Amino acid sequence: MRPSSLTYHVALLAVLFFPTVFALKTADWKTCSQAGFCRRGRALSARAKEHRSWKSPYSVDASSIAVASDQASFTAAVTSSLYPKINFGLELRIHKDGVVRVRMDEVGGLRKRYDEAASWALIEAPETSHDIKWTVGKKDARALYGPKKDIEVVVSFEPLKVVLLRKGREQVVLNGRGLLHMEHFKKKGDSVEVKPEDIPEEGLDIEDEAQKVMKLSPGAWFEGDSEDAWWEESFSSWTDTKPKGPESLSLDISFPNHGHVYGIPQHATRLDLPTTTGDTPTYTDPYRLYNADVFEYHASSPMSLYGSIPVMHAHSSDSTVAIFNAVGSETWIDLAHPSPKSTETHWISESGILDVFILPGPTPEDIFGQYARLTGTPALPAHWALGYHQCRWNYISSDDIRGVQKRFDEEDMPVDVFWLDIEYSEDHKYFIWDKKNFPDPVEMTKDVEAFGRKMVVIIDPHLKRTSDYPVFKAASELGVLVKNKDNNEYEGWCWSGSSSWIDFFNPASWDWWMKIFRTKKAKEWTWTESTESTYIWHDMNEPSVFNGPEITMPKDNIHYGGWEHRDVHNINGMLFPNITHQALIARSATPKRPFILTRAFYAGSQRFGAMWTGDNLGTWEHMAAGVQMVLANGIAGMTFCGSDVGGFFGNPEREMLVRWYQVGAFQPFFRAHGHIDTKRREPYLMEDPYKSMLRDILRLRYSMLPIWYTAFREASVTGIPVLRPHYVVFPHDEAGFSIDDQWFIGGSGLLVKPVTEKGVTEASIYLAEDQVYYDYFTHYAHRGAAKGKHITVSAALHEIPLLARGGSIIPTRERRRRSSPLMKLDPFTLRVALDNRVSARGELYLDDGETFSHRDGQIVWREFVAEKPDKKAKTLRISSRDLVKEKPGEAIDGVALKNFSPSNNFAKSIESVRVEKIAVIGLSSKPKSVKVEGGQALEFVYDGGVAAGGKKEGVASVLIIKDPGVAISEDWAIVIDI
Ligand code: NOJ
């Protein structure tokens, strides 16, 4: 039996016999103490703590500073007192938007360190500022900049330290604790180049242990006295030959005035990252970034998972700053709060140069913009991709897929996408259909397309090593497979048995891979048995190798350019969706927006599609952890994200399944999925009342597609995530900084807190402001408070705690359809949730949802505003205006609105689409009249609610204006005489 199949089956037994007690297994993955460079890094930090006068040996040679002609950057030589003959080069660069890039590399060393991580993550070379003037003194170099000239970067020379300040307050400090250490390349047997006699007596504090050690053994005080795992390293039965020797990089990054840090996904942990060092750390190991297929991962752990984004936000009520550490090798991060209002982190990477971007903020929104300008915004997904996805491992035949589709239709449950896992393929040779069970893949896909639906098919990265597999054969002939340490094709074990992996770092693989996806016959082998409605799921791309160290590739494998796998491991998985993304665009005459789901990811992966949180367990803990992970992924760019609804392992009981759908419906990527040995659990299989509850959830999601799509437009332009945690929306409200179980959906004003606990009938929601929040379903008006307040809402199994923030106008589509493309001409409902000042605003974005015609201006982008013309006015005016005209400076997908072509066929195609209902929530009295401005009087129904006026709580009033006779894509105004 295949090793992993065995583990999956052992897990299954655990699930069947001990439904809630999973056998959590961590021995397959290293702890820090089992990874030589992490051990060395932590030991360095321990020595620094022990020695009072610890001082970094790295310093800048002031005489070497060369400021570039643009004034925005300078280079300098850096030396280490420990290795005076080794040279390092430092470069400081300030970008146009204030981001500071700090690079350091060894100069003229025995080898070259990997320096291309940033080039895979960044969208382009960032423009440097024109606003900088470095002042170089004897002790430091400084630059004061920013629109208010309140940001300052100070590079101290001895020891080397980089500090970013705002208004004189330290925001980010690099090497403030002296833990910077770039292990230079050495030959075996080389020793420290400073001899004891070279160390001057004067100035030594003989009381201090560090200095004593320094005198006796110049290297040991800093590096320790053993060559710990420098030249070879074993873990379990694997040996890493480490041909390049030690080359790790340690760096401390402190946030002296920020007590909360978020990000560095992916880990199953709280959004507000718990500590790993200090007095009472939550975790004993550092956070690890090393893309890994971790079997049955813990619901609370700093262990690595499938993807790695070395981005960390540091937050306080004064400001937000962030770090993007562009490193592609295995990285461990220790975290401590020396005081509640400060944070220290220590980053230890196995290889690569130092390439750190400091994002100055000062607001979370600024951070998202600064990060998006570096690594790109999340791609605007196809509209259908926001619908419901039905997956399992596996739908066993084309007739099975047809049957599932039929049942969804019979039960009147909307669904957009059916998924095929690995068993569709013959012997796990991806692309090649198992014709016994899938005799007619193109017809099957067309049957699905008939209702506007799509198929997603899995393509794993391991290629079965057999000459009758055209994909493997071509890759081998082209020489684009990853090599082992002896420079032969690397062979490992995965689903398809003996397998090899494409090296997408090799440009020769790109064109070839892209051509495979053409649906028409060509000279080369192409996937003719697919259609333009076949989209792609890339799984196992960490890569997962069942018989490899830590279930992945050996680190001494070789990639294009001679780089070792260790140098590029965390980037490797991102290249697969990157090239497939381009392939799917290129395969159609009229390019369509691709959909690709990836399991592995890195900084910048947001440009290529969606990701999910991998093989979660069917437990309540995992349901809650999934929420935290989706929020953390989102703030690091991967906003198109979700967790397997139902849990991958296990058979969820009814209550759990209902709650899981409620969580999934409020995550950007909404897919149900389960392991091959789980019982079938499509929503139509439940008996009532559960079945009706699931149907209602699916319908609710579909009614809200306009909200999701509008939020994705914003994310695709600004980088602000679709799911917004409290600290993002209320950056000054300390009480919300650790909240990670409720969130806002885009800028819509919807606040949700799905239940993730068994047996719950009530939920407590935190309201951060003195504002009214209406229950989405009952219109009950909850009042917040300026200092924050918890309210209790009813949350029986059929209820989702969902509130509309006063001041929002929320567009929905309430007609029931089988799939989202069938909603194209459906009318809209506008919910106007009035705020304390009797006003509200909202947005709606629409385009054809599948092509790139939005880049030519084929869009509808509206703003709805409800306001009294002046304070004393006795009228409320609700209007719709064209944001394309209002905001010519804005851009969609990089194209400025003012450059759009005037013909807008999309707007014409939905000319007939009406607003069918306007619900105004929270008026204090029954209106005298309602009419279209300059037009006819409208019929309305008013329900005065129950005692909800002023500051009182109770069911708010609702005014329903039915069929106001206005079109969604036109300017109009409705006047309510109050
Ligand atoms: C692992 C993935 O995480 C899971 O979703 C998938 O079903 C299996 N591989 C089989 O392809």
Side-chain angles (χ1 to χ4, degrees), residues 634-673:
I635 63 135
M638 294 304 293
T639 196
F640 196 9
C641 175
S643 304
D644 281 349
V645 169
F648 180 69
F649 292 113
N651 294 308
E653 23 129 5
R654 297 178 186 94
E655 179 190 352
M656 185 189 278
L657 194 62
V658 171
R659 291 302 195 192
W660 218 309
Y661 269 85
Q662 294 174 348
V663 169
F666 286 92
Q667 295 189 342
F669 174 55
F670 182 23
R671 183 187 74 155
H673 182 42

Side-chain angles (χ1 to χ4, degrees), residues 8 293 306 391-393 421-423 458 460 495 537 539-540 599 612 614-615 644 648 671 673-676:
Y8 274 120
D293 180 4
Y306 313 94
C391 185
R392 80 171 267 111
W393 178 17
D421 208 322
I422 52 176
E423 313 304 337
I458 200 166
D460 279 358
W495 298 126
W537 174 15
D539 183 19
M540 314 294 274
R599 198 170 69 173
W612 91 111
D615 297 348
D644 281 349
F648 180 69
R671 183 187 74 155
H673 182 42
H675 183 274
I676 194 165

Side-chain angles (χ1 to χ4, degrees), residues 98-102 162 164 172 174 321-324 356-360:
V99 167
V100 182
R101 184 175 186 176
V102 185
V162 180
L164 180 100
V172 183
L174 308 189
V321 288
I323 285 295
F324 166 39
V356 171
F357 297 79
I358 304 173
L359 283 51

Side-chain angles (χ1 to χ4, degrees), residues 177-393:
R177 292 156 65 207
L179 305 184
L180 170 66
H181 188 30
M182 183 172 271
E183 292 179 333
H184 66 278
F185 290 112
K186 323 172 172 52
K187 289 193 197 115
K188 247 183 178 171
D190 276 2
S191 59
V192 175
E193 292 173 22
V194 179
K195 302 193 179 66
E197 54 271 27
D198 294 339
I199 306 221
E201 287 287 346
E202 72 276 14
L204 275 191
D205 171 1
I206 45 151
E207 289 305 309
D208 183 77
E209 202 51 32
Q211 302 221 358
K212 263 196 249 163
V213 179
M214 185 172 166
K215 182 72 187 147
L216 294 173
S217 166
W221 73 273
F222 189 73
E223 290 196 302
D225 50 11
S226 69
E227 297 189 356
D228 181 11
W230 277 18
W231 306 104
E232 191 178 274
E233 183 167 3
S234 295
F235 173 67
S236 191
S237 57
W238 291 276
T239 299
D240 175 1
T241 60
K242 295 186 129 181
K244 297 193 282 180
E247 53 167 321
S248 78
L249 175 67
S250 149
L251 176 69
D252 60 278
I253 304 178
S254 302
F255 308 99
N257 290 299
H258 297 85
H260 299 263
V261 286
Y262 314 101
I264 53 168
Q266 168 155 277
H267 302 99
T269 186
R270 300 290 311 262
L271 177 68
D272 185 358
L273 292 168
T275 53
T276 64
T277 52
D279 293 342
T280 47
T282 306
Y283 301 126
T284 49
D285 245 25
Y287 292 94
R288 187 184 191 198
L289 292 176
Y290 189 60
N291 293 358
D293 180 4
V294 176
F295 178 68
E296 291 184 353
Y297 59 82
H298 286 261
S300 170
S301 165
M303 273 174 82
S304 270
L305 284 175
Y306 313 94
S308 302
I309 306 186
V311 167
M312 182 181 269
H313 290 198
H315 185 72
S316 75
S317 51
D318 293 337
S319 71
T320 316
V321 288
I323 285 295
F324 166 39
N325 184 357
V327 62
S329 64
E330 178 182 343
T331 296
W332 298 77
I333 304 149
D334 260 326
L335 192 167
H337 293 302
S339 76
K341 300 237 181 228
S342 68
T343 306
E344 288 179 350
T345 67
H346 180 201
W347 300 60
I348 313 162
S349 303
E350 185 168 18
S351 72
I353 64 162
L354 185 158
D355 197 355
V356 171
F357 297 79
I358 304 173
L359 283 51
T363 67
E365 293 192 0
D366 293 327
I367 295 291
F368 295 125
Q370 287 154 4
Y371 183 62
R373 277 187 291 281
L374 292 172
T375 67
T377 55
L380 178 66
H383 182 265
W384 57 263
L386 303 179
Y388 171 66
H389 298 247
Q390 182 62 49
C391 185
R392 80 171 267 111
W393 178 17

